[in-house]
Amino acid sequence: MCGITGIFNFENKGIDADTLVRMTRTLFHRGPDEEGFFVNTQNAGLGTWNKEKVAWRYCSGQGNVGLGHRRLSIIDLATGQQPLCNEDGSIWITFNGEIYNFQELKRDLESKGHQFRTNSDTETIVHAYEEWGTNAIEKLRGMFAFAIWDENKKQLLLARDRVGKKPLYYLDDPKRLIFGSEIKAILEVKDVSRSVDYTALYDYLSLLYVPAPKTIFKSIKKLPAGHWAIVTADSIQVESYWDLSFYPDMNISESQMTDDLLNILDEATKIRMISEVPLGAFLSGGVDSSAIVALMAKRSSEPVKTNSISFSVAKYNEAQYAKKVADLFKTDHHEFHVTPEAVSVIEKLAWHYDEPFADSSAVPTYYVSEIARKNVTVSLSGDGGDENFAGYRRYYFDMRENFVRSLVPERLRQVVFGTIGNLYPKADYLPQVFRGKAFISNIARDPVDAYYFSVSSMYGQEKRQLVHPDILNEIGDYRTRDLFYDIYKKAPAKDHLSKIQYLDIKTYLCDDILTKVDRASMAVSLEVRCPILDHVFMEYVAKIPSKYKLVGKDGKYIFKKTLKKYLPDDILYRKKMGFGVPVEEWLRKDLKEYGGNLVLKGEASKLYLQKNMLDKFWSEHQKGLRNRSTELWIIMMLNLWHRDFAV
């Protein structure tokens, strides 16, 4: 895995070597093994850097393009240095990711006359682009973000993998295109504006992340997953090259599904075990990670190196299940115990994420990555099972709400359930059976709004009361939920469950889960691979009718049936546990002083939020009247981001 950067000056202004090097070296953690640079002229004023023996590469051009690369060596350790070019030096690439079918593509390209100088997957992309242009992207099986400079066409191609495993950001500027694997690389350019996009801030307060293509900065964008962009001096053309269709194949039998699922996932796991460096797996003891470990163990001649974390708070601790799976497959197992003292790492994480990011499971993800990095360089994970197979409990609750909603005439829903929902107390101190406000309120909403409400941390009037009036005036009638409506309407699916799965894949999976894993793992220079997010596997799963995914309360029905060959029932059918941390308890005890200072006294709190609501959230949480840990964590991470990046 690697870090990539680049500058394309539209007005033929020369590249500043100091800036390009500085940008690239901010990404040292993504690629600690090597660095390399390209500029499209030999007259780039590189005297200082040549004395340092920095690896500069050139082609004959106007000197207005520069590419940077930090390398984490995984494949072709000897000759895979980047940036890398084709035979005549007219096409150059800086690449982050892994292409698992590169050997097959290489054979095809060699048969067409292309000559290879390395054994790397990177060079395969260069020749594939030479042969097929942007259509080459559709032939790649893997995770990737890359930039290709075409000197003959004077254009830059940016591309990002189908579901967004690898990040790519760019500066939206009429005079230049600046890009990087992380925002911090772009911010190394001194005149880049740090003005905050208040609609992005508003989104963050509900979603815990900033949804693509926005970032927290007005001037910087995310290239959306499954998209490419062609950049010339005159324009930036962004297009989608892949989508996931959920139209079901009603002719597949259940037995055929289980056979196909196992075969495709086995292949997806096999090709992700190709590595010239030590390889292992994350293991939570849940269905998805256990499935990957089982398939790895089947193919490995040595014990699979597995890594997990544990907590003292029982409802967050899955360590015993991870240990059971480790024993079952005789893995080389490692475990790390997370304590409140360890949460000092959130300050480090705030720097790595570049924009406000409030999924608290970033903390255990960082620690499991850190312990894994002590014994491997590559780790496989089980990410993607819940989105593919409707495994989240919220899918069941949403379908139950839709059933009740269908029984009540539309004209009565708002009058009856809306009124009751507004009057019903939100009291977390009550027993679970009496906490019905969300369910009652959702019956009054339409299906999309109800789902948005279910996944939102802040919503409606309370959210608007938290935000500073000046920000509300600037964003006007903007609503985060409109993003959900837009994606839901575009979903290539007929049934509601498939549409909200599609919605999660386009938002939560990409901008929360995969962002979390990428930054936490790359913070310790660990590559993470996700077989369940193999696009061939996902495309097959999307054709499976919804009735085989969510059966009653049981999500992942067909996936669990598929895995019965490898996993015992007490792993397959145990109660689902989220991958979280006991923030609720920590903020009332060990983190009380630290959290209070950030929430109540932080600079971002003063600039963006209302003090009376901050006081309310803090007081309610400390008194046990409401569990405000999510809201408080959102505000804490906002303040840490602001301290590191806003000025």
Side-chain angles (χ1 to χ4, degrees):
M1 208 52 57
C2 306
I4 64 175
T5 63
I7 304 171
F8 176 15
N9 287 325
F10 301 153
E11 299 176 346
N12 294 328
K13 178 183 177 182
I15 295 298
D16 180 71
D18 290 335
T19 298
L20 184 62
V21 171
R22 196 169 61 248
M23 287 173 61
T24 306
R25 289 183 177 175
T26 63
L27 304 179
F28 177 88
H29 52 283
R30 299 188 72 92
D33 295 332
E34 294 176 329
E35 68 178 358
F37 303 90
F38 159 80
V39 286
N40 63 335
T41 179
Q42 293 190 15
N43 302 311
L46 303 177
T48 301
W49 298 113
N50 284 335
K51 291 177 183 177
E52 284 197 19
K53 298 182 179 179
V54 174
W56 287 94
R57 300 173 177 89
Y58 315 93
C59 75
S60 178
Q62 296 172 320
N64 63 327
V65 175
L67 305 177
H69 189 265
R70 290 293 323 186
R71 187 185 187 200
L72 177 63
S73 303
I74 304 292
I75 293 175
D76 191 18
L77 305 186
T79 63
Q81 291 77 19
Q82 298 185 48
L84 182 151
C85 66
N86 63 341
E87 299 96 324
D88 65 6
S90 63
I91 297 172
W92 288 81
I93 189 172
T94 182
F95 164 62
N96 170 28
E98 300 290 346
I99 306 302
Y100 304 117
N101 64 333
F102 80 95
Q103 293 171 331
E104 174 188 338
L105 290 172
K106 180 179 180 181
R107 287 191 294 270
D108 187 13
L109 289 162
E110 285 178 328
S111 72
K112 297 178 184 298
H114 293 269
Q115 297 179 2
F116 284 74
R117 291 171 292 123
T118 75
N119 296 312
S120 70
D121 53 348
T122 308
E123 189 177 6
T124 304
I125 302 173
V126 172
H127 293 292
Y129 169 79
E130 257 191 309
E131 185 68 29
W132 299 301
T134 57
N135 291 333
I137 303 170
E138 299 174 25
K139 298 178 182 291
L140 304 178
R141 188 175 183 180
M143 55 181 177
F144 53 85
F146 62 78
I148 291 177
W149 172 247
D150 188 327
E151 183 65 35
N152 293 329
K153 294 183 178 180
K154 300 294 188 291
Q155 72 178 28
L156 185 72
L157 170 65
L158 304 177
R160 193 173 175 207
D161 66 65
R162 293 168 178 84
V163 293
K165 297 169 193 171
K166 294 293 103 186
L168 191 55
Y169 299 87
Y170 65 94
L171 177 73
D172 190 4
D173 188 316
K175 295 182 179 180
R176 61 196 170 174
L177 189 289
I178 302 174
F179 70 86
S181 295
E182 298 179 12
I183 292 173
K184 62 175 62 66
I186 298 173
L187 294 179
E188 283 297 314
V189 181
K190 293 178 181 179
D191 60 344
V192 170
S193 170
R194 301 196 183 205
S195 295
V196 172
D197 181 341
Y198 289 138
T199 66
L201 174 63
Y202 201 67
D203 294 339
Y204 163 75
L205 295 175
S206 289
L207 303 177
L208 313 183
Y209 58 86
V210 175
K214 298 176 189 175
T215 75
I216 195 65
F217 300 105
K218 287 181 180 179
S219 62
I220 299 174
K221 307 297 182 187
K222 299 180 180 84
L223 183 65
H227 283 65
W228 54 255
I230 289 183
V231 186
T232 67
D234 300 317
S235 67
I236 299 177
Q237 176 188 357
V238 179
E239 289 192 14
S240 171
Y241 67 85
W242 182 82
D243 206 358
L244 188 61
S245 173
F246 278 83
Y247 294 120
D249 183 345
M250 306 304 293
N251 297 317
I252 311 176
S253 68
E254 192 168 319
S255 61
Q256 185 66 53
M257 288 179 207
T258 57
D259 288 345
D260 290 345
L261 285 171
L262 192 57
N263 289 335
I264 301 171
L265 185 60
D266 185 39
E267 182 202 19
T269 303
K270 174 186 174 182
I271 60 179
R272 282 163 177 78
M273 293 178 69
I274 299 171
S275 175
E276 296 180 23
V277 295
L279 178 144
F282 293 158
L283 179 58
S284 69
V287 172
D288 306 327
S289 65
S290 299
I292 300 306
V293 168
L295 294 174
M296 291 177 70
K298 183 184 78 167
R299 293 190 170 278
S300 181
S301 59
E302 298 179 356
V304 177
K305 297 181 185 295
T306 55
N307 300 277
S308 67
I309 58 167
S310 63
F311 297 97
S312 299
V313 181
K315 69 178 181 179
Y316 294 93
N317 188 33
E318 294 185 277
Q320 69 271 31
Y321 301 110
K323 183 65 164 57
K324 179 169 185 173
V325 175
D327 290 343
L328 179 64
F329 296 104
K330 298 179 173 57
T331 73
D332 178 10
H333 191 58
H334 305 265
E335 180 184 308
F336 179 82
H337 185 74
V338 178
T339 65
E341 292 77 19
V343 182
S344 60
V345 76
I346 66 172
E347 298 204 353
K348 180 185 294 186
L349 289 174
W351 183 83
H352 280 285
Y353 283 88
D354 290 346
E355 45 183 352
F357 186 81
D359 185 339
S360 60
S361 64
V363 174
T365 303
Y366 172 82
Y367 279 113
V368 76
S369 298
E370 186 178 51
I371 190 174
R373 189 63 176 90
K374 293 177 180 178
N375 51 76
V376 300
T377 309
V378 177
S379 185
L380 273 62
S381 83
D383 290 317
D386 289 315
E387 291 81 7
N388 276 313
F389 292 100
Y392 291 123
R393 283 175 288 183
R394 64 174 178 259
Y395 294 138
Y396 162 70
F397 292 128
D398 185 77
M399 297 302 288
R400 184 181 65 170
E401 289 169 3
N402 275 333
F403 173 73
V404 174
R405 190 181 292 114
S406 70
L407 300 177
V408 183
E410 184 177 356
R411 64 182 180 276
L412 294 179
R413 288 204 301 264
Q414 183 60 49
V415 174
V416 177
F417 287 93
T419 301
I420 296 173
N422 289 333
L423 296 174
Y424 201 93
K426 181 71 169 74
D428 295 337
Y429 58 85
L430 292 174
Q432 186 72 37
V433 70
F434 296 114
R435 300 184 206 170
K437 183 178 179 67
F439 175 78
I440 295 170
S441 299
N442 266 358
I443 301 303
R445 298 183 172 95
D446 68 69
V448 182
D449 190 28
Y451 190 69
Y452 168 66
F453 177 77
S454 298
V455 300
S456 295
S457 299
M458 298 188 203
Y459 181 96
Q461 192 60 31
E462 184 174 73
K463 178 181 173 183
R464 295 186 70 81
Q465 289 172 349
L466 173 66
V467 177
H468 195 283
D470 290 348
I471 295 177
L472 294 178
N473 288 336
E474 180 163 328
I475 66 175
D477 294 331
Y478 177 79
R479 297 291 184 273
T480 301
R481 69 182 179 186
D482 290 343
L483 167 68
F484 278 51
Y485 279 105
D486 290 344
I487 296 174
Y488 186 91
K489 290 175 184 176
K490 295 174 184 175
K494 293 182 178 179
D495 66 283
H496 176 69
L497 178 59
S498 294
K499 288 183 178 182
I500 60 175
Q501 285 181 264
Y502 179 88
L503 180 55
D504 273 349
I505 288 169
K506 294 295 182 179
T507 56
Y508 178 69
L509 174 67
C510 176
D511 294 324
D512 187 314
I513 300 297
L514 295 178
T515 298
K516 172 187 68 180
V517 173
D518 176 80
R519 302 307 189 282
S521 60
M522 293 312 299
V524 295
S525 306
L526 177 76
E527 176 176 305
V528 177
R529 302 175 178 178
C530 310
I532 296 174
L533 292 176
D534 179 273
H535 81 273
V536 177
F537 184 72
M538 292 182 72
E539 289 171 352
Y540 183 86
V541 174
K543 294 178 182 178
I544 295 175
S546 291
K547 66 180 182 179
Y548 293 105
K549 296 173 183 175
L550 180 61
V551 179
K553 294 183 179 181
D554 191 14
K556 303 183 186 175
Y557 167 81
I558 194 66
F559 194 41
K560 292 174 181 176
K561 190 167 185 179
T562 300
L563 298 171
K564 276 181 169 289
K565 179 178 179 180
Y566 291 103
L567 299 175
D569 285 357
D570 57 352
I571 293 296
L572 289 174
Y573 298 104
R574 69 179 177 87
K575 185 177 179 181
K576 184 175 177 60
M577 297 174 68
F579 189 57
V581 291
V583 176
E584 179 181 356
E585 293 86 350
W586 288 352
L587 283 174
R588 291 189 181 121
K589 297 176 183 177
D590 305 82
L591 290 179
K592 182 176 180 179
E593 181 178 357
Y594 177 81
N597 283 331
L598 280 176
V599 170
L600 302 176
K601 301 177 183 179
E603 190 64 26
S605 293
K606 298 174 184 176
L607 286 173
Y608 308 127
L609 307 175
Q610 294 276 62
K611 185 177 187 305
N612 64 316
M613 291 298 288
L614 297 173
D615 291 338
K616 177 185 175 183
F617 287 175
W618 186 256
S619 175
E620 287 181 345
H621 190 78
Q622 297 307 320
K623 292 177 180 178
L625 298 175
R626 292 281 303 273
N627 176 9
R628 292 289 192 177
S629 58
T630 300
E631 294 95 325
L632 296 175
W633 196 267
I634 288 170
I635 297 163
M636 288 168 62
M637 299 309 295
L638 177 64
N639 276 284
L640 289 174
W641 162 79
H642 187 274
R643 184 192 67 186
D644 289 346
F645 292 103
V647 292

